[in-house]
Each structure stands twice: as C-alpha cells, then as structure tokens.
Amino acid sequence: VQPLRGHNALLAGSGVMILWMGWFAFNYVSSVVLPNGQLEVAGHVAYTTAIAASAAGATSFTKRRIAAEPYSLTELGNALLGGLVAITGPCNVVTGYAAFIIGMVSAFVYEYSSKLLLRLRVDDAIGAVPVHLFCGVWGMVAAGLFATEDLVELSYPASHGVDFGLFYGGGFELLGIQLTACIAVVSWAASWSALLFYVAGRAHF
C-alpha cells in the first residue's frame, strides 16, 4: 500500500476549517424549518455540532500522543469531519454530553475503518468512505441511543416524544428504525454504485 502524500497541508487545513464553519450553517439552517421551538433548537444544534467536532479532533490528537505516533494534519482533519458527519443526524435531539461521546467514538470509527480499507486493499486516497459512510452510520445509530424525550418533542411536536433513545429509557423502537434506515441507505447506494461501476468498466471509461 502506497499512501498518498499530502501536497499542501495549509490548504488542507484551511479546507477543513471552511467545511467546519459551513457545517454550522448546514445543521443550523436545517433546524430553522422545524415547526416549533425554532430558535431554541437552532441554538442547541450549533452547540452540539461544535462539541462533537471538537471532541473528535481532540480524541484523534490525544490518541496519537498516547500511542507515540507522529501527528498528522490529514488524520486530524478527517477526524474532525468524521465528528461533524456523525453529529449531523442527531444534532437536534442529543445533549451536549452525548455529542461529546458521539464525537469521541467517531474518531475511533474513522481511524479503524480507514485501517480496515487498507487491509482490504480498497483505494480511498482521501478517506471519504470512513468519514462519510462509517461515521455517518455511527451517527444514525447514535440517534437511536442518545436521543432524549424532551429534545425529540421540542423538535418534532407531533411525535409527542414517543420515539427516543435506548439509553434514556426509550426502548429499542427508535434504534430499530435507525438501523433499518442505515440498511436501506447503504443498500440503495451500494446497488446503484455497483451498477455504475459495472457499466463504466464494460465501457472502458
């Protein structure tokens, strides 16, 4: 396996920061269309988004320090993005403590899924699959674990807070819904991707 060396660390780091700032708008604006508690929910979304990303970056940095591994701006940046991806789904229904845990776990999800792809000899030079697929699935599962009854009801009044996380006494219903959604999304994306790659291969693109 030949790792792809970075070409410009400054541009890569700047790109991560631009994405991070844009992620606030992405998550924040999405919450404004909610029918009730808009400003309160939007503020909470910004809060959890910042915490999860920070926790992911700090975890990645600290893990390398403890393991006496060389620091890598690329790995740090991707860990931050993994935290942002993971918190996007549950950002409006989890507490700050849960956002911190989600960010911490996402750093490990990113790192070990990257190593898995290398072991399987899958070419993913920029780490897109670990960041978006694996951390995205973790974020969907986390909603089924950490969503609180009051935040669910604030964001989705029509639900009357019926579906909330397993760790907050909500049972397995929401977790089952999230897992079913994960399977559906991955199956849909994998099926169409396989078809596209097959056609491209036969056409010698």
Side-chain angles (χ1 to χ4, degrees):
V1 176
Q2 298 293 328
L4 179 66
R5 296 186 178 277
H7 303 292
N8 191 313
L10 178 60
L11 286 179
S14 299
V16 169
M17 295 306 297
I18 291 170
L19 282 170
W20 192 353
M21 293 303 102
W23 226 285
F24 283 111
F26 178 64
N27 286 352
Y28 180 95
V29 172
S30 297
S31 67
V32 172
V33 301
L34 295 172
N36 187 47
Q38 297 168 341
L39 293 180
E40 185 176 354
V41 173
H44 184 79
V45 164
Y47 165 64
T48 55
T49 300
I51 289 177
S54 301
T59 299
S60 176
F61 189 88
T62 304
K63 189 265 181 186
R64 284 183 170 271
R65 173 69 175 177
I66 294 174
E69 297 173 348
Y71 296 126
S72 168
L73 182 60
T74 300
E75 295 300 302
L76 175 61
N78 277 343
L80 280 165
L81 294 178
L84 289 167
V85 169
I87 197 60
T88 296
C91 61
N92 60 317
V93 293
V94 299
T95 65
Y97 296 109
F100 186 84
I101 295 171
I102 292 169
M104 284 183 62
V105 173
S106 68
F108 291 103
V109 170
Y110 163 73
E111 179 173 350
Y112 290 108
S113 60
S114 296
K115 291 179 178 179
L116 174 63
L117 292 185
L118 288 176
R119 183 176 293 273
L120 297 175
R121 304 184 68 81
V122 175
D123 184 15
D124 184 11
I126 62 173
V129 171
V131 168
H132 294 281
L133 173 60
F134 287 96
C135 289
V137 167
W138 158 237
M140 293 181 71
V141 172
L145 299 174
F146 296 105
T148 67
E149 184 176 7
D150 56 336
L151 289 173
V152 169
E153 189 165 4
L154 178 63
S155 296
Y156 311 105
S159 72
H160 303 293
V162 172
D163 297 325
F164 53 101
L166 175 65
F167 293 162
Y168 289 85
F172 288 92
E173 184 174 359
L174 180 58
L175 180 60
I177 292 170
Q178 295 300 105
L179 289 173
T180 302
C182 288
I183 294 171
V185 170
V186 171
S187 298
W188 173 269
S191 298
W192 281 104
S193 296
L195 177 62
L196 175 64
F197 292 142
Y198 174 77
V199 172
R202 297 290 292 180
H204 304 290
F205 283 166

